[in-house]
Amino acid sequence: MSFNEKQIISLLDISNCIIFKMILNPLKIDYINIGVEKVTGYIPSDFYNDPNLFRKIIHPDWKDYFDRAFNDLLNNKNDKIYEF
């Protein structure tokens, strides 16, 4: 069974998780599912307009870990898939 892009996006959009693709240089959100609103209260365009919004809204308990992981990602020191 194969899926087309529209079917995949439909599946991503019903998720209660945030699923996104980020371009690192220059920093921008290439795709983010609408599930982001359920989790954060922000709509996808908020993230497209401000790719650093994740850093601004992450829970304080996760901030240090997020900053380390994000900096490692920017410097190609770690995996390219993270879970928070």
Side-chain angles (χ1 to χ4, degrees):
M1 174 186 292
S2 64
F3 293 94
N4 64 40
E5 184 176 349
K6 185 176 178 180
Q7 291 170 315
I8 292 170
I9 289 173
S10 292
L11 289 171
L12 296 176
D13 283 345
I14 63 171
S15 173
N16 288 325
C17 297
I18 301 170
I19 302 166
F20 67 98
K21 179 181 175 193
M22 181 180 279
I23 305 298
L24 298 177
N25 191 10
L27 186 63
K28 74 176 198 169
I29 301 295
D30 192 44
Y31 167 80
I32 192 162
N33 68 324
I34 61 173
V36 73
E37 186 175 3
K38 295 176 201 170
V39 177
T40 68
Y42 291 89
I43 60 175
S45 63
D46 294 330
F47 291 89
Y48 288 120
N49 293 329
D50 183 2
N52 281 303
L53 186 55
F54 284 113
R55 284 182 142 168
K56 295 173 184 176
I57 66 170
I58 195 154
H59 190 280
D61 291 349
W62 285 93
K63 180 135 179 50
D64 289 341
Y65 174 76
F66 181 88
D67 285 342
R68 279 192 314 274
F70 193 77
N71 287 329
D72 285 349
L73 179 65
L74 290 175
N75 293 307
N76 292 319
K77 293 183 181 177
N78 237 339
D79 292 333
K80 303 222 184 290
I81 296 175
Y82 292 93
E83 185 173 333
F84 295 95

